[in-house]
Amino acid sequence: MSMEELFHPLQEPMILAAAISIVVGAVVVVAGLTYFKKWGYFYKNWLSTVDHKKIGIMYIAVALLMLFRGGIDALLMRAQTAVPDNGLLDAQHYNEIFTTHGLIMILFMAMPFVIGLMNIVIPLQIGARDVAFPRLNAVSFWAFAAGCGLLNLSFIIGGSPDAGWTAYFPLASTDFSPTVGNNYYSLALQLSGIGTLLTGVNFITTIFKMRAPGMTLMKMPMFSWSILITNVIIVFAFPVLTVALALMMLDRQFGTKFFAMTDGGMDMLWANLFWVWGHPEVYIVILPAFGIFSEVIATFARKNLYGYKSMVMSMVVISLLSFLVWAHHFYTMGHGVMVNSVFSITTMAIAVPTGVKMFNWLLTMRHGKIQFTTPMLYALAFIPIFTIGGVTGVMLAMASADYQYHNTMFLVAHFHYVLIPGTVFGVLAGYHFWWPKMFGFRLNEKLGKAGFWFIAISFNVTFFPLFILGLDGYARRMYTYSASTGYGPLNMLSFIGALGLAVGFALICYNIYYSWKHMPRNEKADVWDGRSLEWATHSPVPEYNFAVVPNVSRLDEFWFAKKEGRDITAGKIEKIHMPNNTGTPFWTSGFLFLAAFFAVFSLWPLAIISMLVVFGFMAHRSFEDDHGRYISVEEIMETEKSLRGDK
Amino acid sequence: MNKKLSLMFLAFGAIAILSGCEPLTVFNPKGPNAQTLSNTIILSIITMAVILLVVYVLFAFMLTKYRASKASADYEPPHEEGSHVLEITWTVIPIIIVAFLAIVTVKTTSTVETTPEGYDNKEPLVIYAASSNWKWHFSYPEEGIETVNYVNIPTDRPIEFKLYSFGPITSFWIPQLAGQKYAMSDMLTTIHLAADEVGSFMGRNSNFNGRGFAEMEFEAQSMTQADFEQWVKDVKANEKPLTEEKFKELLAAEHVGRSSYSSTHLDFSPAPMAHGDMDMGGMDHSDMDMSDEDMNHEDMDHSTDADSTHSH
Ligand code: HEM
Ligand SMILES: [Cu+2]
Ligand SMILES: [Cu+2]
């Protein structure tokens, strides 16, 4: 591969500019840390941390960065298609951009945002001092970060994947995608996928084993329930991705023919494996949002969640059904009426439990006292917008009708109508809601609401026109179209909407800066008059979460304790055992990253050497004698006093 | 509420466009199968509109009635566990709606997967449609002719398109005549359709297959039986036969214009086999015996010319 080929995307001025901004950003961070002599602090407090709250914050930081990256991709795409026969991007770059947009939004924005929130909130909400495997948690994060870095690097070195985020074979084979882009795909997703799988194991164990005394499963807050179910889905779905990606790598880099056109290879095997993972994946990013909305709506309607049991039931049913619907992604592959009908029915069935949840949320607000805070606005806007996504999902589920929608802008509109109010509004609601828990100050409400209104309105302007375009025969993934199609005006409208979304996102980012500068510190622990245990401890949360682990006797224990004037965190303070920080997960993942990077270019000896270093770290770990440390009673008293300080 | 306003605005815009002079392609069918799909979609839109209405009314009601600014300062919302009656209601009604739509789906899916209604007594015209790079090859085995990037069909006769691909998966779609179906390298799929009127329709590949995807369109023209026969005769008389060499050249090319030939490539490069029993084994290739003599992989192997066409 020549140098020119290696850096070929950089020949496009747009992409060059974006690449330069990534590099400059990185240089600024590195220079800043060096200038302020913060490397030591940074390493000690962040890179080597095993504190679930800090890991969660790092997840969210990466997710926001990726929302920015994926958003720029989205703007570029919408700019390219805003007018017919536009020459802003050529076909190859458009293909790379929509592929990485999809990958980044789903795997490196939505997932880590959700995982970040779960890291921060779950131990607090179930009254635990930590996650089950703190060190493994750091490994998960750094493996994910390595995968994320690798995919973003593809942009600069060698070319990004260009066969769609679905990477259908044989298009994604070396015959038709000869650049290293899809090698990046298989390896970047592999790394981050392994991180996610480990998270799944970790949080299932945490939720099963570490709940506060008295908290049975049916006394657990809804967000914890949604995360438990999500992690069960992760543990069942992600191994399929691991295998599929391994086969993909073998096909692309070792000449096997699992998915090839010849020698008995089966392109449909890829489609099946991909969607057996891929459909549950969309529930992995949506169910946690359902949990967040449940918390937010109950808190700001100042009422307990309506129909708790049926909410739990419907989530369990959704999780089971999510594994039985994958073939709706290829109704048009010629399975015949029987198979299509079965998958149609299982798919439509998901609408039933989802509907149950919708009505439960609506009824939670009945007789309530609704406060329109920023998180509540996101939760409220979710209801009407997601319903459009849901009903168009049922329309798509009808196999016959899907013959007309498949691969069109109608589909693109549908899944954004599900993913944006579902996932993005969900994590934004959670982020505004729990921010004071993380940092001890609130985000400014005015800016928060302004951002919300920009996003909620522009969202509809961006995506509603796409339903109409789809019904007019506009296929997705086309980098351009001719003026005679008449698609121009609605595409322009959609582009204007996308600009509005960008403004909303900019406001959200500016709000971080503004609030950090201007909002009062040391907020009281229970800023929103919350219902679950995370509001019982201080903001920001001390390393050990709870000085005294609370006892629980019913759902919303904290809420009732407040009513009855009880302090559920009172009790005798004892020394607390905590794990030690360790830099090993960071360095291990660094070498994993190197191994994967060399593997992308088939530099096997270098890749093997890097992998040996990784195994070396693992071997070393197994001989390590690290029993953690104790925080003394005096130290806890000291911390508690200062946190309670000027309240 | 700004959001509501903008939603309404969009809805009106949509209706204006929907009811404008030119109906949307999918709602402008010119054949029985596309008609079935159009009806199905409209039916589902109406059903869904009812659901949307229920949710929106409830939503607006809750937000206007129970906002904190309307409640007195000392109002304490009650504790409500839920109601079995209500919860059963909003489980059962959606089940009924889904069951209804499921029946419609199964029926219409089987309708469009067979010879269009009213055409059962006519012998279907079989056309092989194969994609390669960013073009379409149409072979008429009965007539012994082949076209590239355009297809002519007679009206009032059922047509069976047999689809396959010389490369990545593509999706054959003429929205005004029928829904789409994949064309794959290792199996044959079938689309049934018929055209009721004479006309020219947009056809395209709708499954992303690389750089030239956006331009991968073709024209589907329906004409009277007599015109169609005349056209076949003309092609037979005036066009050169499609030699193996010429066909290889065509396969290797990225984009080409229209052309016509007085013989088909099926003679020297047969299509892959159809699935044995499509109803049962859509995802199973075990019935595709690779030793079958009809499967000539030499001709289907695309990797040899991939080097020349895909480097950049
Ligand atoms: C922020 C505003 C966004 C805009 C303007 C936007 C725009 C688009 C457009 C225009 C496409 C279609 C590209 C094409 O078919 O030519 C697309 C594809 C896609 N988007 Fe977005 N998007 C946005 C946010 C998101 C979010 C938040 C997610 C996920 C959580 C997401 C997930 C996807 C996926 C999975 C695809 C399919 C990629 C593929 O075809 O391989 N998008 N987006
Ligand atoms: Cu799906
Ligand atoms: Cu097949």
Side-chain angles (χ1 to χ4, degrees):
Chain A
M1 198 175 245
S2 72
M3 270 329 239
E4 193 201 341
E5 255 180 281
L6 204 57
F7 293 98
H8 89 111
L10 299 186
Q11 287 149 27
E12 181 90 4
M14 270 319 213
I15 296 198
L16 182 63
I20 289 174
S21 69
I22 293 177
V23 174
V24 168
V27 168
V28 166
V29 171
V30 171
L33 285 172
T34 312
Y35 182 79
F36 292 109
K37 300 204 170 56
K38 287 286 189 192
W39 276 112
Y41 163 84
F42 192 56
Y43 183 77
K44 234 179 94 205
N45 282 282
W46 295 95
L47 301 189
S48 67
T49 189
V50 292
D51 183 337
H52 65 92
K53 300 174 288 292
K54 286 190 169 153
I55 290 176
I57 288 169
M58 290 195 288
Y59 264 116
I60 291 176
V62 176
L64 280 173
L65 211 63
M66 289 301 110
L67 182 59
F68 181 70
R69 157 79 212 266
I72 298 264
D73 287 344
L75 266 182
L76 279 175
M77 286 191 289
R78 283 280 115 220
Q80 163 64 24
T81 50
V83 289
D85 298 314
N86 198 357
L88 184 68
L89 297 168
D90 64 23
Q92 177 61 23
H93 294 126
Y94 189 83
N95 300 346
E96 293 185 14
I97 285 175
F98 77 69
T99 302
T100 47
H101 165 78
L103 283 173
I104 284 187
M105 284 299 197
I106 301 257
L107 286 145
F108 299 108
M109 189 286 287
M111 287 260 289
F113 216 135
V114 163
I115 294 178
L117 288 173
M118 86 163 92
N119 258 290
I120 292 162
V121 178
I122 288 300
L124 299 174
Q125 205 169 54
I126 61 173
R129 288 217 166 101
D130 208 335
V131 295
F133 311 110
R135 205 169 165 142
L136 189 70
N137 204 17
V139 174
S140 297
F141 172 74
W142 289 110
F144 150 75
C148 181
L150 197 64
L151 190 73
N152 279 283
L153 194 63
S154 72
F155 196 45
I156 301 171
I157 305 176
S160 297
D162 57 359
W165 89 287
T166 49
Y168 273 11
F169 275 79
L171 179 62
S173 70
T174 44
D175 288 350
F176 301 100
S177 292
T179 67
V180 293
N182 280 291
N183 300 353
Y184 271 114
Y185 179 108
S186 65
L187 286 147
L189 265 59
Q190 191 67 280
L191 284 191
S192 66
I194 288 167
T196 308
L197 187 54
L198 297 177
T199 298
V201 174
N202 206 343
F203 277 82
I204 291 178
T205 318
T206 305
I207 295 176
F208 273 136
K209 288 287 181 195
M210 297 176 70
R211 275 166 289 135
M215 185 185 278
T216 61
L217 284 177
M218 290 312 278
K219 288 178 186 141
M220 204 162 68
M222 196 52 68
F223 180 62
S224 298
W225 255 114
S226 71
I227 292 301
L228 174 61
I229 293 172
T230 301
N231 283 296
V232 172
I233 302 182
I234 286 177
V235 168
F236 280 96
F238 267 75
V240 182
L241 178 70
T242 305
V243 170
L245 290 172
L247 298 183
M248 177 180 194
M249 187 179 85
L250 290 174
D251 259 19
R252 284 189 58 89
Q253 294 183 272
F254 294 93
T256 58
K257 303 261 181 179
F258 291 105
F259 310 126
M261 301 202 307
T262 54
D263 301 312
M266 287 187 262
D267 45 7
M268 293 148 84
L269 176 63
W270 169 264
N272 277 291
L273 289 176
F274 181 86
W275 286 114
V276 164
W277 161 77
H279 192 85
E281 167 68 16
V282 306
Y283 288 94
I284 292 171
V285 298
I286 279 196
L287 286 179
F290 286 0
I292 295 169
F293 291 135
S294 300
E295 303 291 324
V296 168
I297 291 176
T299 303
F300 296 110
R302 312 189 56 72
K303 269 188 71 204
N304 63 316
L305 196 63
Y306 194 86
Y308 176 85
K309 277 188 202 141
S310 59
M311 291 293 248
V312 173
M313 262 307 287
S314 48
M315 256 188 315
V316 173
V317 173
I318 290 174
S319 72
L320 295 177
L321 284 174
S322 75
F323 283 94
L324 300 179
V325 303
W326 78 92
H328 65 208
H329 294 275
F330 38 91
Y331 281 144
T332 58
M333 212 180 247
H335 317 289
V337 179
M338 229 337 243
V339 173
N340 277 353
S341 298
V342 169
F343 281 98
S344 273
I345 293 167
T346 52
T347 305
M348 283 193 258
I350 294 192
V352 176
T354 311
V356 169
K357 299 184 79 66
M358 278 289 172
F359 286 110
N360 276 328
W361 284 315
L362 285 170
L363 267 279
T364 300
M365 293 191 285
R366 188 181 60 162
H367 303 147
K369 201 172 176 184
I370 303 170
Q371 292 167 310
F372 295 92
T373 58
T374 309
M376 186 63 163
L377 286 177
Y378 281 108
L380 290 176
F382 156 80
I383 292 175
I385 303 180
F386 186 85
T387 310
I388 297 183
V391 295
T392 51
V394 174
M395 289 167 67
L396 282 155
M398 302 173 71
S400 52
D402 183 60
Y403 295 172
Q404 291 287 33
Y405 312 126
H406 186 62
N407 276 330
T408 67
M409 278 294 164
F410 188 91
L411 171 77
V412 174
H414 153 72
F415 69 67
H416 285 90
Y417 260 86
V418 178
L419 282 168
I420 292 187
T423 304
V424 179
F425 285 16
V427 292
L428 287 178
Y431 154 96
H432 284 92
F433 188 54
W434 285 305
W435 181 276
K437 261 297 119 188
M438 297 181 232
F439 298 106
F441 61 94
R442 289 195 214 206
L443 289 167
N444 182 278
E445 279 282 301
K446 264 215 179 87
L447 282 171
K449 287 181 185 172
F452 162 79
W453 283 110
F454 262 101
I455 288 182
I457 294 171
S458 315
F459 166 78
N460 288 293
V461 179
T462 311
F463 290 101
F464 201 87
L466 304 190
F467 283 122
I468 300 166
L469 284 171
L471 292 172
D472 207 14
Y474 183 5
R476 75 195 274 209
R477 297 173 168 176
M478 295 205 301
Y479 85 104
T480 193
Y481 53 91
S482 71
S484 61
T485 55
Y487 300 152
L490 284 176
N491 270 307
M492 176 53 86
L493 183 62
S494 172
F495 174 55
I496 294 168
L499 289 175
L501 279 170
V503 173
F505 177 65
L507 282 172
I508 289 176
C509 290
Y510 175 68
N511 199 2
I512 301 179
Y513 171 77
Y514 178 89
S515 307
W516 176 60
K517 276 260 177 234
H518 299 292
M519 296 299 280
R521 295 307 136 120
N522 290 324
E523 273 289 353
K524 58 181 195 286
D526 185 16
V527 263
W528 310 113
D529 199 3
R531 313 181 69 85
S532 40
L533 290 182
E534 72 267 31
W535 306 107
T537 182
H538 312 277
S539 306
V541 185
E543 187 192 356
Y544 47 78
N545 294 356
F546 297 92
V548 176
V549 172
N551 268 298
V552 173
S553 64
R554 57 186 299 188
L555 183 63
D556 290 340
E557 173 79 23
F558 177 58
W559 174 264
F560 290 106
K562 273 193 291 189
K563 289 263 158 100
E564 294 155 14
R566 277 188 287 130
D567 179 3
I568 62 168
T569 56
K572 185 167 176 298
I573 290 177
E574 285 170 45
K575 65 179 180 177
I576 296 172
H577 182 253
M578 294 306 286
N580 285 322
N581 280 0
T582 163
T584 336
F586 174 74
W587 296 111
T588 314
S589 295
F591 280 93
L592 262 182
F593 172 85
L594 280 181
F597 178 73
F598 292 133
V600 164
F601 293 93
S602 302
L603 302 169
W604 300 112
L606 287 172
I608 289 169
I609 293 170
S610 312
M611 270 322 278
L612 287 177
V613 179
V614 171
F615 289 130
F617 274 120
M618 285 157 82
H620 177 260
R621 163 67 182 144
S622 63
F623 291 112
E624 209 179 337
D625 237 356
D626 180 358
H627 298 297
R629 71 204 152 84
Y630 280 96
I631 305 180
S632 68
V633 175
E634 296 77 62
E635 204 184 321
I636 299 168
M637 301 278 241
E638 201 56 42
T639 314
E640 290 289 302
K641 225 163 73 195
S642 81
L643 280 171
R644 225 175 297 128
D646 41 343
K647 243 199 266 183
Chain B
M1 289 214 106
N2 295 347
K3 190 183 71 243
K4 283 257 177 58
L5 268 178
S6 72
L7 267 175
M8 258 161 61
F9 199 76
L10 278 166
F12 281 123
I15 291 163
I17 292 164
L18 281 167
S19 59
C21 33
E22 267 294 294
L24 299 176
T25 311
V26 165
F27 297 129
N28 189 12
K30 297 293 186 223
N33 276 354
Q35 184 68 57
T36 305
L37 296 179
S38 175
N39 294 346
T40 309
I41 292 171
I42 289 169
L43 176 77
S44 68
I45 290 180
I46 294 168
T47 317
M48 294 302 125
V50 174
I51 296 174
L52 272 182
L53 189 74
V54 172
V55 172
Y56 281 23
V57 166
L58 260 176
F59 180 68
F61 174 75
M62 298 301 172
L63 286 198
T64 44
K65 182 118 191 258
Y66 299 111
R67 42 205 309 146
S69 53
K70 281 182 73 178
S72 64
D74 57 354
Y75 172 64
E76 272 292 328
H79 182 86
E80 290 178 339
E81 290 286 348
S83 146
H84 287 304
V85 179
L86 282 177
E87 282 165 61
I88 289 170
T89 314
W90 60 58
T91 311
V92 171
I93 294 179
I95 288 178
I96 294 170
I97 297 174
V98 164
F100 163 66
L101 291 176
I103 293 167
V104 173
T105 305
V106 175
K107 270 184 105 145
T108 52
T109 306
S110 53
T111 311
V112 298
E113 291 283 3
T114 48
T115 310
E117 268 169 61
Y119 290 81
D120 323 288
N121 50 357
K122 294 186 186 155
E123 184 64 22
L125 171 67
V126 174
I127 304 173
Y128 283 78
S131 62
S132 74
N133 282 336
W134 299 298
K135 55 194 166 306
W136 288 98
H137 310 260
F138 297 98
S139 322
Y140 298 69
E142 231 176 281
E143 286 73 13
I145 60 168
E146 177 150 335
T147 61
V148 175
N149 284 341
Y150 80 100
V151 63
N152 288 351
I153 56 171
T155 52
D156 295 323
R157 184 172 171 194
I159 319 281
E160 269 177 33
F161 279 102
K162 302 276 180 203
L163 312 171
Y164 64 106
S165 164
F166 288 94
I169 301 172
T170 52
S171 192
F172 180 89
W173 191 30
I174 310 172
Q176 286 183 276
L177 296 182
Q180 62 195 289
K181 190 159 284 176
Y182 283 175
M184 295 175 288
S185 61
D186 54 356
M187 69 188 253
L188 209 57
T189 48
T190 306
I191 272 191
H192 301 267
L193 58 81
D196 289 336
E197 339 172 350
V198 169
S200 158
F201 310 112
M202 181 268 284
R204 65 164 298 115
N205 164 26
S206 64
N207 192 60
F208 177 66
N209 67 335
R211 253 178 318 134
F213 168 67
E215 292 91 19
M216 198 171 167
E217 280 190 7
F218 62 90
E219 185 192 3
Q221 208 174 344
S222 61
M223 43 185 69
T224 60
Q225 183 69 30
D227 284 352
F228 179 74
E229 276 162 22
Q230 186 55 45
W231 170 73
V232 171
K233 241 183 242 152
D234 286 349
V235 172
K236 265 301 215 208
N238 302 330
E239 304 293 348
K240 288 202 202 86
L242 181 58
T243 61
E244 194 158 353
E245 208 175 327
K246 175 71 191 167
F247 185 62
K248 283 226 167 90
E249 208 178 286
L250 272 177
L251 280 186
E254 302 207 333
H255 292 285
V256 295
R258 298 176 178 209
S259 51
S260 321
Y261 305 92
S262 54
S263 71
T264 81
H265 73 263
L266 298 172
D267 303 332
F268 47 82
S269 171
M273 316 246 316
H275 271 211
D277 181 4
M278 298 278 288
D279 276 323
M280 301 307 297
M283 280 164 282
D284 182 357
H285 279 185
S286 54
D287 53 338
M288 296 185 55
D289 188 353
M290 285 305 161
S291 63
D292 194 309
E293 283 183 2
D294 280 345
M295 281 277 286
N296 187 343
H297 278 294
E298 224 58 276
D299 292 310
M300 283 180 44
D301 186 356
H302 207 78
S303 54
T304 42
D305 45 61
D307 296 332
S308 58
T309 54
H310 291 276
S311 55
H312 56 278

Short mmCIF file of all heavy atoms in Angstrom, two decimals, chain A residues 265-269 333, chain B residues 169 184-189 275 282-285 288, ligand 3:
data_model
loop_
_atom_site.label_atom_id
_atom_site.label_comp_id
_atom_site.label_asym_id
_atom_site.label_seq_id
_atom_site.Cartn_x
_atom_site.Cartn_y
_atom_site.Cartn_z
N GLY A 265 -19.61 -20.45 0.08
CA GLY A 265 -19.79 -19.36 1.02
C GLY A 265 -21.23 -18.87 1.00
O GLY A 265 -21.92 -19.00 0.00
N MET A 266 -21.69 -18.34 2.13
CA MET A 266 -23.09 -17.91 2.21
C MET A 266 -23.17 -16.46 2.65
O MET A 266 -22.93 -16.14 3.81
CB MET A 266 -23.84 -18.76 3.21
CG MET A 266 -24.12 -20.15 2.73
SD MET A 266 -25.18 -20.95 3.92
CE MET A 266 -23.99 -21.87 4.83
N ASP A 267 -23.54 -15.59 1.72
CA ASP A 267 -23.71 -14.19 2.09
C ASP A 267 -24.82 -14.04 3.13
O ASP A 267 -24.77 -13.18 4.00
CB ASP A 267 -23.99 -13.34 0.85
CG ASP A 267 -25.00 -13.95 -0.08
OD1 ASP A 267 -25.61 -14.99 0.28
OD2 ASP A 267 -25.19 -13.42 -1.19
N MET A 268 -25.84 -14.91 3.03
CA MET A 268 -26.95 -14.78 3.97
C MET A 268 -26.56 -15.18 5.38
O MET A 268 -27.21 -14.79 6.34
CB MET A 268 -28.11 -15.65 3.51
CG MET A 268 -28.72 -15.14 2.22
SD MET A 268 -29.32 -16.51 1.30
CE MET A 268 -30.90 -16.71 2.07
N LEU A 269 -25.50 -15.99 5.50
CA LEU A 269 -25.05 -16.35 6.85
C LEU A 269 -24.62 -15.09 7.59
O LEU A 269 -24.93 -14.90 8.76
CB LEU A 269 -23.88 -17.35 6.76
CG LEU A 269 -23.26 -17.74 8.10
CD1 LEU A 269 -24.27 -18.46 8.98
CD2 LEU A 269 -22.03 -18.62 7.88
N MET A 333 -35.41 -11.14 1.03
CA MET A 333 -34.36 -12.05 0.57
C MET A 333 -34.95 -13.30 -0.05
O MET A 333 -34.22 -14.20 -0.44
CB MET A 333 -33.45 -12.40 1.73
CG MET A 333 -32.01 -12.63 1.31
SD MET A 333 -31.01 -13.03 2.72
CE MET A 333 -29.94 -11.63 2.83
N ILE B 169 -25.04 -8.25 -3.11
CA ILE B 169 -26.50 -8.34 -3.09
C ILE B 169 -27.08 -7.03 -3.62
O ILE B 169 -26.67 -5.94 -3.20
CB ILE B 169 -27.01 -8.58 -1.66
CG1 ILE B 169 -26.42 -9.87 -1.10
CG2 ILE B 169 -28.52 -8.61 -1.62
CD1 ILE B 169 -26.72 -10.09 0.38
N MET B 184 -29.21 -12.17 -5.53
CA MET B 184 -27.98 -12.63 -4.86
C MET B 184 -27.21 -13.54 -5.80
O MET B 184 -27.76 -14.07 -6.75
CB MET B 184 -28.34 -13.36 -3.57
CG MET B 184 -28.98 -12.43 -2.56
SD MET B 184 -29.53 -13.29 -1.09
CE MET B 184 -30.94 -14.14 -1.74
N SER B 185 -25.93 -13.74 -5.48
CA SER B 185 -25.08 -14.47 -6.42
C SER B 185 -25.33 -15.97 -6.36
O SER B 185 -25.04 -16.68 -7.30
CB SER B 185 -23.62 -14.19 -6.10
OG SER B 185 -23.34 -14.63 -4.79
N ASP B 186 -25.89 -16.43 -5.24
CA ASP B 186 -25.91 -17.88 -5.08
C ASP B 186 -27.30 -18.49 -5.20
O ASP B 186 -27.48 -19.66 -5.00
CB ASP B 186 -25.30 -18.25 -3.73
CG ASP B 186 -25.97 -17.51 -2.58
OD1 ASP B 186 -26.85 -16.66 -2.85
OD2 ASP B 186 -25.61 -17.76 -1.42
N MET B 187 -28.29 -17.67 -5.46
CA MET B 187 -29.63 -18.25 -5.58
C MET B 187 -30.52 -17.36 -6.42
O MET B 187 -30.23 -16.19 -6.62
CB MET B 187 -30.24 -18.44 -4.20
CG MET B 187 -30.57 -17.15 -3.50
SD MET B 187 -31.07 -17.42 -1.81
CE MET B 187 -32.81 -17.12 -1.93
N LEU B 188 -31.59 -17.97 -6.88
CA LEU B 188 -32.51 -17.24 -7.73
C LEU B 188 -33.74 -16.86 -6.90
O LEU B 188 -34.28 -17.69 -6.19
CB LEU B 188 -32.93 -18.20 -8.85
CG LEU B 188 -33.30 -17.65 -10.20
CD1 LEU B 188 -32.18 -16.81 -10.78
CD2 LEU B 188 -33.62 -18.81 -11.14
N THR B 189 -34.15 -15.60 -6.99
CA THR B 189 -35.40 -15.22 -6.33
C THR B 189 -36.38 -14.76 -7.42
O THR B 189 -35.96 -14.42 -8.53
CB THR B 189 -35.19 -14.09 -5.32
OG1 THR B 189 -34.40 -13.07 -5.95
CG2 THR B 189 -34.45 -14.58 -4.10
N HIS B 275 -34.03 -21.85 -4.94
CA HIS B 275 -34.13 -22.68 -3.75
C HIS B 275 -35.17 -23.75 -3.97
O HIS B 275 -36.21 -23.49 -4.56
CB HIS B 275 -34.55 -21.81 -2.57
CG HIS B 275 -33.37 -21.23 -1.88
ND1 HIS B 275 -33.36 -20.97 -0.55
CD2 HIS B 275 -32.17 -20.87 -2.34
CE1 HIS B 275 -32.20 -20.46 -0.22
NE2 HIS B 275 -31.46 -20.39 -1.30
N GLY B 282 -35.70 -20.65 3.32
CA GLY B 282 -35.15 -19.40 2.83
C GLY B 282 -33.75 -19.12 3.30
O GLY B 282 -33.00 -18.42 2.64
N MET B 283 -33.37 -19.71 4.42
CA MET B 283 -32.06 -19.35 4.94
C MET B 283 -31.09 -20.52 4.86
O MET B 283 -30.07 -20.53 5.49
CB MET B 283 -32.19 -18.90 6.38
CG MET B 283 -32.65 -17.49 6.48
SD MET B 283 -33.23 -17.18 8.12
CE MET B 283 -34.81 -17.95 8.07
N ASP B 284 -31.47 -21.52 4.09
CA ASP B 284 -30.69 -22.74 4.13
C ASP B 284 -30.18 -23.04 2.73
O ASP B 284 -30.96 -23.11 1.79
CB ASP B 284 -31.62 -23.84 4.62
CG ASP B 284 -30.90 -25.16 4.74
OD1 ASP B 284 -29.70 -25.21 4.40
OD2 ASP B 284 -31.53 -26.12 5.15
N HIS B 285 -28.91 -23.21 2.62
CA HIS B 285 -28.39 -23.47 1.29
C HIS B 285 -28.06 -24.93 1.05
O HIS B 285 -27.44 -25.27 0.07
CB HIS B 285 -27.14 -22.61 1.06
CG HIS B 285 -27.50 -21.22 0.67
ND1 HIS B 285 -26.61 -20.29 0.31
CD2 HIS B 285 -28.70 -20.64 0.59
CE1 HIS B 285 -27.23 -19.16 0.04
NE2 HIS B 285 -28.50 -19.35 0.21
N MET B 288 -28.58 -26.57 -2.17
CA MET B 288 -27.87 -26.11 -3.36
C MET B 288 -26.62 -26.94 -3.53
O MET B 288 -25.56 -26.63 -3.02
CB MET B 288 -27.52 -24.65 -3.22
CG MET B 288 -28.76 -23.80 -3.14
SD MET B 288 -28.32 -22.09 -3.11
CE MET B 288 -27.33 -21.96 -4.57
CU CU C 3 -29.01 -16.94 -0.91
#
